[in-house]
Amino acid sequence: MPRHILPALLASLALLAACQEMTPKQDGAMPTTLPEGMVGRWGLTKADCDGSRDDNKGLMVVKPDSLQFYESQAKLSEIDSATDRVVRARWNFTGEGQTWQRDIVLTLSSTGIYLSRQDITRDSMKPLTYRQCVSP
């Protein structure tokens, strides 16, 4: 499969997964942290995963309740819906002296190798697909 087709295919699958019904835990409460499979370092390119570089602008570090980017970070505010592979949540961002909120859908591929991030606050933003960074 040509390399340019894979990101488009993954983005389409992420949108389909985000459309599926997501339900709270059996006790009716939403989780307060992201699923363990989403936690880790994710890069838009292979170079983004290189820890010795200081220009890895496509690196996203996912923690159970936060996202860290090159020039901003986000704290989990509230999870709206969740499964083990798809989480729709509101995030409070800070960066470069500014603050803002975003509603984001994170979708973990069935293999756990790819994580897609879709900002649903903005209609025009296409999903970004990250690849899991592996330690050498």
Side-chain angles (χ1 to χ4, degrees), residues 31-45:
T32 56
T33 59
L34 296 175
E36 187 176 320
M38 293 182 180
V39 175
R41 294 170 47 89
W42 303 86
L44 289 173
T45 68

Side-chain angles (χ1 to χ4, degrees), residues 42 44 56-63 66-75 91-95 100 102 104 106 115 117-119 125 128 130:
W42 303 86
L44 289 173
N56 46 6
K57 295 182 180 184
L59 177 68
M60 177 174 65
V61 179
V62 178
K63 295 185 179 176
S66 66
L67 304 174
Q68 178 74 42
F69 300 95
Y70 184 73
E71 294 180 333
S72 64
Q73 52 275 337
K75 190 74 174 161
W91 297 85
N92 295 321
F93 279 81
T94 58
W100 63 97
R102 291 284 184 259
I104 294 174
L106 294 173
L115 183 65
R117 177 173 60 96
Q118 170 76 49
D119 182 343
M125 185 178 168
L128 297 173
Y130 297 80

Side-chain angles (χ1 to χ4, degrees), residues 25 59 65:
K25 294 190 281 186
L59 177 68
D65 64 351

Side-chain angles (χ1 to χ4, degrees), residues 11 28 32 49 69 82 90 92 98 120 126 134:
T32 56
C49 292
F69 300 95
R90 174 157 295 144
N92 295 321
Q98 297 184 14
I120 57 174
K126 294 181 181 178
V134 290

